[in-house]
Amino acid sequence: MIIRNNRQVKHIYHDGKLVKERYRNGKLVHKEEQGGEDNYTLRFTPEGNYAYINFNGWVSTMNVEYSKDNTHWTAITASTTIVSLDKGETLYLRGDNPNGLSTSTSQYFNIYANSAKICMSGDIMSLIYPLERLNTKIIPRSYCFYKLFTNNNRSGLYINENFKLSAEILKDYCYAYMFMGFERLNMTPELPATTLATSCYQNMFHACESLTTAPQLPATTLASNCYREMFYACHSLTTAPQLPATTLTGSCYKSMFHACESLTTAPQLPATT
């Protein structure tokens, strides 16, 4: 809830729809449904029955909840390891983790699915900031999404165009190994960040064998190891991104396209230093 001069703005879900409410001196004065694609949660929608979402590597400091109706929420704890879904159901995730989700190479949250086809959509930042702060485009700490979707090498999980990585300012290792071995990943989300950090994208798409086109990488100021092994062993990759940076840093492109056997044209490298 946002409060200014005794005026309050609250976003809530009602019957699965996002509603904006305005209050003055504690009294509701206006209410309206918010249109457009719901990017206020991370969503998993199966195409058929017998779908499962698994949670692994629970982090003691994290605050993440799940729901099947976008109205009633249950906290994910160390004992929450699997949620089943049937056709017509959707699993919603949201969080309030302003100090970060995962914290290190040994303390990280991981989500993976069974072999049923499941579409994943929504903004990944909804695991970090609640509704009122979701416009915040800063990843709060290192390792935040480290290995988040690793272990999906045999799953039916895939993303659509509404899956977002909206952060513009990154932290060290924040997306490292995020999709490693993600077999059904045949498209990538946009990567709008222009402020990079050490190893922020390292091995992000390692061994994503269905991936054919790399995302655009608009950053012109790099960080050490930022793109290191980013597309390592992406055997189907045929289109590389432009690399506009003119000044390089230590190992920033090291093995970026190693073992990309289908890539026949390398990107131009305008860097002079």
Side-chain angles (χ1 to χ4, degrees):
M1 180 181 290
I2 301 173
I3 302 175
R4 293 190 182 95
N5 299 325
N6 292 321
R7 296 180 181 180
Q8 302 171 340
V9 177
K10 181 194 299 184
H11 290 85
I12 65 170
Y13 280 102
H14 180 70
D15 292 334
K17 297 179 180 180
L18 182 65
V19 176
K20 182 179 182 179
E21 296 182 340
R22 295 183 182 275
Y23 293 81
R24 182 176 293 123
N25 296 321
K27 183 178 179 180
L28 178 65
V29 295
H30 181 72
K31 179 168 67 175
E32 62 180 303
E33 288 187 5
Q34 302 291 284
E37 177 67 23
D38 169 20
N39 281 320
Y40 299 97
T41 57
L42 187 64
R43 301 178 303 284
F44 301 84
T45 305
E47 295 185 10
N49 297 324
Y50 310 112
Y52 299 91
I53 300 295
N54 300 268
F55 304 119
N56 185 34
W58 179 72
V59 181
S60 61
T61 56
M62 77 179 195
N63 177 14
V64 178
E65 299 176 315
Y66 73 92
S67 172
K68 287 188 177 182
D69 60 9
N70 217 356
T71 300
H72 302 92
W73 295 89
T74 301
I76 294 177
T77 67
S79 61
T80 310
T81 57
I82 188 169
V83 176
S84 62
L85 294 168
D86 286 328
K87 188 175 182 179
E89 292 185 317
T90 294
L91 177 68
Y92 302 86
L93 296 184
R94 69 180 186 185
D96 187 357
N97 296 282
N99 295 317
L101 185 62
S102 298
T103 60
S104 70
T105 58
S106 59
Q107 291 286 308
Y108 61 89
F109 183 49
N110 176 240
I111 301 171
Y112 64 98
N114 68 339
S115 59
K117 292 190 71 175
I118 305 171
C119 179
M120 179 169 61
S121 59
D123 194 335
I124 199 73
M125 295 296 281
S126 61
L127 296 179
I128 305 301
Y129 298 112
L131 196 58
E132 290 80 6
R133 294 191 60 205
L134 198 53
N135 286 330
T136 304
K137 303 301 182 183
I138 303 173
I139 290 182
R141 71 167 297 150
S142 302
Y143 296 97
C144 194
F145 298 116
Y146 177 82
K147 286 190 175 181
L148 184 61
F149 300 113
T150 295
N151 295 328
N152 280 288
N153 54 314
R154 296 181 180 177
S155 83
L157 192 63
Y158 66 96
I159 68 172
N160 68 10
E161 66 277 5
N162 293 314
F163 178 80
K164 309 291 184 184
L165 299 180
S166 62
E168 297 173 359
I169 298 176
L170 307 186
K171 293 292 192 298
D172 296 354
Y173 295 92
C174 59
Y175 293 139
Y177 299 90
M178 188 177 186
F179 297 101
M180 186 174 69
F182 200 127
E183 276 191 4
R184 285 188 181 269
L185 192 74
N186 59 7
M187 63 180 294
T188 64
E190 292 183 8
L191 300 176
T194 54
T195 301
L196 307 188
T198 298
S199 297
C200 55
Y201 293 127
Q202 183 173 330
N203 294 88
M204 185 177 183
F205 300 107
H206 186 134
C208 291
E209 297 186 357
S210 298
L211 192 63
T212 59
T213 303
Q216 294 299 310
L217 302 173
T220 55
T221 301
L222 306 185
S224 61
N225 295 294
C226 56
Y227 297 133
R228 182 171 181 164
E229 300 180 6
M230 187 176 183
F231 302 100
Y232 192 107
C234 289
H235 298 304
S236 300
L237 190 72
T238 59
T239 305
Q242 294 181 2
L243 300 173
T246 56
T247 300
L248 305 186
T249 56
S251 300
C252 56
Y253 295 143
K254 185 174 182 178
S255 301
M256 186 176 182
F257 301 105
H258 183 91
C260 292
E261 300 165 353
S262 301
L263 189 63
T264 58
T265 303
Q268 293 184 357
L269 300 175
T272 55
T273 56

